[in-house]
Coordinates of all heavy atoms in Angstrom, one line a residue:
Chain A
P7 N 31.6 7.7 1.8 CA 31.2 8.2 3.2 C 29.6 8.2 3.4 O 29.2 8.2 4.5 CB 31.8 9.5 3.3 CG 32.2 9.8 1.9 CD 32.4 8.5 1.1
H10 N 28.8 4.6 4.2 CA 29.5 4.1 5.4 C 29.0 4.6 6.6 O 29.8 5.3 7.5 CB 31.0 4.2 5.2 CG 31.7 3.2 6.1 ND1 31.5 1.8 6.0 CD2 32.5 3.3 7.0 CE1 32.3 1.2 6.9 NE2 33.0 2.1 7.6
S11 N 27.8 4.6 6.9 CA 27.2 5.1 8.1 C 26.0 4.0 8.5 O 25.3 3.6 7.5 CB 26.6 6.4 8.0 OG 25.3 6.5 8.4
Q12 N 25.9 3.5 9.7 CA 25.1 2.3 9.9 C 23.6 2.6 9.4 O 23.0 1.7 8.8 CB 25.1 2.0 11.4 CG 26.3 1.1 11.7 CD 26.2 0.5 13.0 OE1 25.1 0.3 13.6 NE2 27.2 0.0 13.6
L13 N 23.1 3.7 9.8 CA 21.6 3.8 9.5 C 21.3 4.1 8.0 O 20.5 3.5 7.4 CB 21.0 5.0 10.3 CG 19.5 5.3 10.1 CD1 18.8 4.0 10.4 CD2 19.1 6.4 11.0
R14 N 22.2 4.8 7.3 CA 22.1 5.1 5.9 C 22.3 3.8 5.2 O 21.6 3.5 4.2 CB 23.1 6.3 5.4 CG 22.7 7.6 6.0 CD 23.4 8.7 5.1 NE 24.8 8.7 5.4 CZ 25.4 9.4 6.3 NH1 24.7 10.1 7.1 NH2 26.8 9.4 6.5
L15 N 23.3 3.0 5.6 CA 23.5 1.7 5.0 C 22.3 0.8 5.2 O 21.9 0.1 4.3 CB 24.8 1.0 5.6 CG 25.3 -0.2 4.8 CD1 25.4 -0.1 3.3 CD2 26.4 -0.9 5.5
A16 N 21.8 0.7 6.4 CA 20.6 -0.1 6.7 C 19.5 0.4 5.7 O 18.7 -0.6 5.2 CB 20.1 0.1 8.1
S19 N 20.1 -0.8 2.2 CA 20.1 -2.3 2.2 C 18.5 -2.8 2.2 O 18.3 -3.8 1.4 CB 20.8 -3.0 3.4 OG 22.1 -2.5 3.5
L20 N 17.7 -2.1 2.9 CA 16.2 -2.3 2.9 C 15.7 -2.0 1.4 O 15.0 -2.9 0.8 CB 15.5 -1.6 3.8 CG 15.4 -2.0 5.3 CD1 14.6 -1.0 6.1 CD2 14.6 -3.4 5.3
I22 N 17.3 -1.7 -1.4 CA 17.9 -2.4 -2.6 C 17.0 -3.7 -2.9 O 16.9 -4.0 -4.1 CB 19.3 -2.8 -2.4 CG1 20.0 -3.1 -3.7 CG2 19.5 -3.9 -1.4 CD1 20.9 -2.1 -4.2
G23 N 16.2 -4.2 -2.0 CA 15.6 -5.4 -2.2 C 14.1 -5.3 -2.5 O 13.5 -6.2 -2.8
V24 N 13.7 -4.1 -2.4 CA 12.2 -3.7 -2.6 C 11.9 -2.8 -3.7 O 13.0 -2.0 -4.0 CB 11.4 -3.5 -1.3 CG1 11.6 -4.4 -0.3 CG2 12.0 -2.1 -0.8
K25 N 10.7 -2.7 -4.2 CA 10.4 -1.7 -5.2 C 10.2 -0.3 -4.6 O 11.0 0.7 -5.0 CB 9.1 -2.0 -5.9 CG 9.0 -1.3 -7.2 CD 7.6 -1.7 -7.8 CE 7.5 -0.7 -9.0 NZ 6.2 -0.2 -8.9
E26 N 9.7 -0.3 -3.5 CA 9.5 0.9 -2.7 C 9.0 0.6 -1.3 O 8.4 -0.4 -1.0 CB 8.6 2.0 -3.4 CG 7.2 1.4 -3.6 CD 6.2 2.3 -4.4 OE1 6.7 2.8 -5.3 OE2 5.0 2.3 -4.0
A27 N 9.3 1.5 -0.4 CA 9.0 1.3 1.0 C 8.4 2.6 1.6 O 9.0 3.6 1.4 CB 10.1 0.7 1.7
E28 N 7.6 2.5 2.6 CA 7.0 3.6 3.3 C 8.0 3.9 4.6 O 8.6 3.1 4.9 CB 5.6 3.2 3.9 CG 4.7 4.4 3.8 CD 3.4 3.9 4.4 OE1 2.6 3.3 3.8 OE2 3.2 4.4 5.7
T30 N 7.5 4.7 7.5 CA 7.1 4.0 8.7 C 7.8 2.5 8.8 O 8.2 2.0 9.7 CB 5.6 3.8 8.9 OG1 5.1 3.4 7.7 CG2 5.1 5.2 9.4
F31 N 7.8 2.0 7.5 CA 8.3 0.5 7.3 C 9.8 0.5 7.6 O 10.3 -0.3 8.4 CB 8.0 0.0 6.0 CG 8.7 -1.3 5.6 CD1 8.1 -2.5 6.1 CD2 9.8 -1.4 4.9 CE1 8.6 -3.7 5.7 CE2 10.5 -2.6 4.6 CZ 9.8 -3.7 5.0
K35 N 11.8 -1.3 10.6 CA 12.9 -2.4 10.4 C 14.3 -2.0 10.9 O 15.0 -2.7 11.2 CB 12.9 -2.6 8.9 CG 11.7 -3.3 8.3 CD 11.4 -4.7 9.0 CE 10.1 -5.2 8.6 NZ 9.7 -6.3 9.4
T36 N 14.6 -0.5 10.8 CA 15.8 -0.1 11.3 C 15.9 0.1 12.8 O 17.0 0.3 13.3 CB 16.3 1.1 10.5 OG1 15.3 2.2 10.7 CG2 16.5 0.9 9.0
Q46 N 18.8 11.3 7.9 CA 19.7 10.3 7.1 C 19.1 10.1 5.7 O 19.9 10.1 4.7 CB 19.9 9.1 7.8 CG 20.5 9.2 9.1 CD 21.7 10.0 9.2 OE1 22.6 10.0 8.3 NE2 21.8 10.8 10.4
K49 N 20.0 13.0 3.5 CA 21.4 12.9 3.0 C 21.4 12.0 1.8 O 22.0 12.4 0.8 CB 22.2 12.5 4.2 CG 22.5 13.5 5.2 CD 23.5 13.1 6.2 CE 23.7 14.2 7.2 NZ 24.5 13.8 8.4
K63 N -2.3 9.9 2.2 CA -3.0 8.5 2.3 C -4.1 8.8 3.4 O -3.8 9.0 4.6 CB -2.1 7.5 2.7 CG -2.8 6.1 2.7 CD -1.8 5.0 3.0 CE -1.8 4.7 4.5 NZ -0.8 3.5 4.8
D64 N -5.4 8.7 3.1 CA -6.5 9.0 3.9 C -6.3 10.2 4.7 O -6.5 10.2 6.0 CB -6.7 7.8 4.8 CG -7.0 6.5 4.1 OD1 -7.7 6.7 2.9 OD2 -6.7 5.5 4.5
Q68 N 2.1 10.8 3.7 CA 2.7 9.6 3.6 C 4.0 9.8 2.9 O 4.0 10.5 1.7 CB 1.8 8.6 2.8 CG 2.4 7.2 2.7 CD 1.6 6.4 1.6 OE1 1.1 6.9 0.6 NE2 1.5 5.1 1.9
F81 N 25.6 1.6 -4.3 CA 25.5 0.4 -3.3 C 26.5 -0.7 -3.8 O 27.2 -1.3 -3.0 CB 24.0 0.0 -3.2 CG 23.8 -1.1 -2.2 CD1 23.7 -0.6 -0.8 CD2 23.8 -2.4 -2.5 CE1 23.5 -1.7 0.1 CE2 23.6 -3.4 -1.4 CZ 23.4 -3.0 -0.2
Y84 N 29.9 0.2 -3.3 CA 30.4 0.1 -1.9 C 30.6 -1.3 -1.5 O 31.6 -1.7 -0.7 CB 29.1 0.7 -1.1 CG 29.4 0.5 0.4 CD1 30.1 1.5 1.2 CD2 28.8 -0.4 1.2 CE1 30.3 1.4 2.5 CE2 28.9 -0.5 2.5 CZ 29.7 0.4 3.2 OH 29.9 0.3 4.6
V85 N 29.7 -2.3 -2.0 CA 29.9 -3.7 -1.5 C 31.2 -4.3 -2.1 O 32.0 -5.0 -1.5 CB 28.6 -4.6 -2.0 CG1 29.0 -6.1 -1.8 CG2 27.4 -4.1 -1.2
L88 N 34.0 -3.0 0.0 CA 33.9 -3.5 1.2 C 34.7 -5.0 1.2 O 35.5 -5.4 2.1 CB 32.5 -4.0 1.7 CG 31.7 -3.0 2.6 CD1 30.4 -3.8 3.0 CD2 32.5 -2.7 3.8
Y91 N 38.3 -5.3 1.9 CA 38.8 -5.2 3.4 C 38.6 -6.5 4.1 O 39.0 -6.8 5.2 CB 37.8 -4.2 4.1 CG 38.1 -2.7 3.8 CD1 37.5 -2.1 2.7 CD2 38.8 -2.0 4.6 CE1 37.7 -0.9 2.2 CE2 39.1 -0.6 4.3 CZ 38.6 -0.1 3.2 OH 38.8 1.2 2.8
L92 N 38.0 -7.5 3.4 CA 37.8 -8.7 4.1 C 38.9 -9.7 3.8 O 39.6 -9.7 2.8 CB 36.5 -9.5 3.5 CG 35.1 -8.7 3.8 CD1 34.1 -9.3 3.1 CD2 34.9 -8.7 5.4
Chain B
M1 N 22.7 4.8 16.0 CA 23.1 4.0 14.7 C 23.8 5.0 13.8 O 23.7 4.8 12.6 CB 21.7 3.6 14.1 CG 21.8 2.1 13.6 SD 20.3 1.7 12.9 CE 20.7 0.0 12.1
E2 N 24.6 5.9 14.3 CA 25.2 6.8 13.5 C 26.6 6.8 13.3 O 27.3 7.5 12.6 CB 24.6 8.2 13.8 CG 25.0 9.5 12.8 CD 25.1 9.2 11.4 OE1 24.8 8.2 10.7 OE2 25.8 10.0 10.7
Q3 N 27.3 5.9 14.2 CA 28.8 5.9 14.3 C 29.3 5.4 12.8 O 28.8 4.5 12.3 CB 29.3 5.1 15.4 CG 29.5 3.7 15.2 CD 28.4 2.9 16.0 OE1 27.4 3.4 16.2 NE2 28.7 1.6 16.2
Q4 N 30.5 5.9 12.5 CA 31.1 5.7 11.2 C 32.1 4.6 11.3 O 32.5 4.0 10.4 CB 31.8 6.9 10.7 CG 31.0 8.2 10.5 CD 30.3 8.3 9.4 OE1 30.7 7.6 8.3 NE2 29.1 8.9 9.3
D5 N 32.6 4.2 12.5 CA 33.6 3.4 12.7 C 33.3 1.9 12.8 O 33.8 1.1 13.7 CB 34.5 3.8 13.8 CG 33.8 3.8 15.1 OD1 32.5 3.8 15.1 OD2 34.3 3.7 16.3
F6 N 32.4 1.4 11.9 CA 32.0 0.0 12.1 C 32.8 -0.7 10.9 O 33.1 -0.2 9.8 CB 30.7 -0.3 12.0 CG 29.8 0.2 10.8 CD1 29.0 -0.9 10.1 CD2 29.7 1.5 10.4 CE1 28.5 -0.5 8.9 CE2 29.1 1.9 9.4 CZ 28.3 0.9 8.6
S7 N 33.1 -2.1 11.2 CA 34.0 -2.8 10.3 C 33.3 -3.3 9.0 O 32.1 -3.2 8.9 CB 34.6 -3.9 11.0 OG 33.6 -4.9 11.3
A8 N 34.2 -3.7 8.1 CA 33.6 -4.2 6.8 C 32.8 -5.4 7.1 O 31.6 -5.6 6.5 CB 34.8 -4.7 6.0
K9 N 33.2 -6.2 8.0 CA 32.3 -7.4 8.5 C 30.9 -7.0 9.1 O 29.9 -7.5 8.6 CB 33.1 -8.2 9.6 CG 32.7 -9.6 9.5 CD 33.4 -10.5 10.6 CE 32.7 -11.7 11.1 NZ 33.0 -12.0 12.3
D10 N 31.1 -6.0 9.9 CA 29.7 -5.4 10.4 C 28.8 -4.9 9.3 O 27.6 -5.0 9.3 CB 30.0 -4.2 11.4 CG 30.8 -4.7 12.7 OD1 30.6 -5.9 13.0 OD2 31.4 -3.8 13.3
S11 N 29.4 -4.2 8.3 CA 28.7 -3.7 7.1 C 27.9 -4.8 6.5 O 26.8 -4.6 6.1 CB 29.7 -2.9 6.3 OG 30.0 -1.7 6.8
L12 N 28.7 -5.8 6.1 CA 28.2 -6.9 5.3 C 26.9 -7.5 6.1 O 26.0 -7.9 5.6 CB 29.2 -7.9 5.0 CG 30.0 -7.4 3.8 CD1 31.2 -8.5 3.5 CD2 29.3 -7.2 2.5
L14 N 25.1 -6.2 8.5 CA 23.9 -5.2 8.5 C 23.2 -5.4 7.1 O 22.0 -5.4 7.2 CB 24.5 -3.8 8.6 CG 23.4 -2.7 8.6 CD1 22.5 -2.8 9.9 CD2 24.1 -1.3 8.7
I15 N 23.9 -5.3 6.0 CA 23.3 -5.5 4.7 C 22.5 -6.7 4.6 O 21.4 -6.7 4.2 CB 24.4 -5.3 3.5 CG1 25.1 -4.0 3.5 CG2 23.8 -5.7 2.2 CD1 26.3 -4.0 2.6
E16 N 23.2 -7.8 5.0 CA 22.4 -9.1 4.9 C 21.2 -9.1 5.8 O 20.2 -9.6 5.3 CB 23.5 -10.2 5.5 CG 23.1 -11.6 5.0 CD 24.1 -12.6 5.4 OE1 25.3 -12.2 5.7 OE2 23.7 -13.7 5.6
S17 N 21.3 -8.7 7.0 CA 20.1 -8.7 7.8 C 19.0 -7.8 7.3 O 17.8 -8.1 7.4 CB 20.5 -8.3 9.3 OG 20.5 -7.0 9.4
M18 N 19.4 -6.6 6.7 CA 18.2 -5.7 6.2 C 17.6 -6.4 5.0 O 16.4 -6.2 4.8 CB 18.9 -4.4 6.0 CG 19.2 -3.5 7.1 SD 17.7 -3.1 8.0 CE 18.3 -3.1 9.7
I19 N 18.4 -7.0 4.2 CA 17.9 -7.5 2.9 C 16.9 -8.6 3.4 O 15.8 -8.7 2.8 CB 19.0 -7.9 1.9 CG1 19.6 -6.7 1.3 CG2 18.4 -8.9 0.8 CD1 20.8 -7.1 0.5
K21 N 15.3 -8.9 6.1 CA 14.1 -8.3 6.8 C 13.0 -7.9 5.7 O 11.9 -8.0 5.9 CB 14.5 -7.2 7.6 CG 14.8 -7.5 9.0 CD 15.1 -6.2 9.9 CE 15.6 -6.6 11.1 NZ 15.9 -5.4 11.9
A22 N 13.6 -7.2 4.6 CA 12.6 -6.7 3.6 C 12.0 -7.7 2.8 O 10.9 -7.7 2.3 CB 13.4 -5.7 2.7
Q23 N 12.9 -8.9 2.5 CA 12.4 -9.9 1.5 C 11.7 -11.0 2.1 O 10.9 -11.6 1.3 CB 13.5 -10.4 0.7 CG 14.2 -9.2 -0.2 CD 14.9 -9.7 -1.3 OE1 15.6 -10.7 -1.2 NE2 14.8 -9.0 -2.5
R25 N 9.1 -10.9 3.8 CA 7.7 -10.5 4.1 C 6.8 -11.4 3.2 O 7.2 -11.7 2.0 CB 7.6 -9.0 3.9 CG 8.0 -8.2 4.9 CD 7.8 -6.8 4.5 NE 6.5 -6.4 4.4 CZ 5.6 -6.0 5.3 NH1 6.1 -6.0 6.4 NH2 4.3 -5.8 5.0
K82 N -3.2 -1.4 -2.0 CA -2.0 -0.6 -2.3 C -1.8 0.5 -1.3 O -0.7 0.8 -1.1 CB -2.2 -0.3 -3.9 CG -0.9 0.2 -4.4 CD -0.9 0.5 -5.9 CE 0.4 0.8 -6.2 NZ 0.5 1.7 -7.3
K83 N -2.9 1.1 -1.1 CA -2.8 2.3 0.0 C -2.3 1.9 1.3 O -1.5 2.7 1.9 CB -4.2 3.0 0.1 CG -4.5 4.0 -0.9 CD -5.7 4.7 -0.5 CE -6.0 6.0 -1.4 NZ -7.1 6.7 -0.8
S84 N -2.7 0.7 1.8 CA -2.4 0.4 3.1 C -1.1 -0.4 3.2 O -0.5 -0.7 4.4 CB -3.5 -0.5 3.7 OG -3.6 -1.7 3.1
T85 N -0.4 -0.8 2.1 CA 0.8 -1.6 2.2 C 2.0 -0.7 2.4 O 2.2 0.2 1.7 CB 1.0 -2.3 0.9 OG1 -0.1 -3.1 0.7 CG2 2.1 -3.4 1.0
A86 N 2.7 -1.1 3.4 CA 4.0 -0.1 3.7 C 5.1 -0.4 2.8 O 6.1 0.4 2.7 CB 4.3 -0.4 5.1
V87 N 5.2 -1.6 2.2 CA 6.3 -1.8 1.3 C 5.8 -2.6 0.2 O 5.0 -3.5 0.3 CB 7.4 -2.7 2.1 CG1 6.9 -3.8 2.6 CG2 8.6 -2.8 1.2
Q88 N 6.4 -2.4 -1.1 CA 6.1 -3.2 -2.2 C 7.3 -3.9 -2.7 O 8.3 -3.2 -3.1 CB 5.4 -2.3 -3.4 CG 4.6 -3.3 -4.3 CD 4.2 -2.5 -5.6 OE1 4.6 -1.3 -5.8 NE2 3.6 -3.3 -6.4
T89 N 7.3 -5.2 -2.7 CA 8.5 -6.0 -3.1 C 8.4 -6.3 -4.6 O 7.3 -6.0 -5.1 CB 8.6 -7.3 -2.3 OG1 7.5 -8.0 -2.6 CG2 8.6 -7.0 -0.7
Y90 N 9.6 -6.6 -5.2 CA 9.5 -7.0 -6.6 C 8.7 -8.2 -6.8 O 8.0 -8.4 -7.7 CB 10.9 -7.2 -7.1 CG 11.7 -5.9 -7.2 CD1 12.7 -5.5 -6.3 CD2 11.4 -5.0 -8.2 CE1 13.3 -4.3 -6.4 CE2 12.0 -3.7 -8.3 CZ 13.0 -3.4 -7.4 OH 13.7 -2.2 -7.4
E93 N 5.1 -7.2 -7.2 CA 5.0 -6.6 -8.6 C 4.8 -7.7 -9.7 O 4.0 -7.7 -10.5 CB 6.1 -5.7 -8.9 CG 5.7 -4.8 -10.0 CD 6.8 -3.8 -10.5 OE1 7.9 -4.1 -10.2 OE2 6.6 -3.1 -11.4

Side-chain angles (χ1 to χ4, degrees):
Chain A
H10 198 61
S11 132
Q12 281 198 14
L13 185 50
R14 288 196 293 270
L15 184 62
S19 306
L20 273 181
I22 197 102
V24 299
K25 193 176 170 231
E26 58 186 37
E28 218 180 280
T30 48
F31 174 83
K35 295 296 171 192
T36 56
Q46 303 312 324
K49 286 185 185 172
K63 180 174 96 177
D64 300 329
Q68 181 191 37
F81 188 82
Y84 178 81
V85 172
L88 266 188
Y91 287 81
L92 295 172
Chain B
M1 224 182 174
E2 188 27 23
Q3 85 256 23
Q4 303 277 332
D5 57 343
F6 63 117
S7 71
K9 201 176 157 206
D10 293 338
S11 286
L12 285 175
L14 176 67
I15 292 169
E16 204 183 328
S17 82
M18 284 296 145
I19 288 176
K21 270 186 188 179
Q23 294 202 323
R25 283 176 62 84
K82 199 171 183 220
K83 269 189 167 183
S84 64
T85 311
V87 60
Q88 198 191 3
T89 62
Y90 289 109
E93 198 194 10

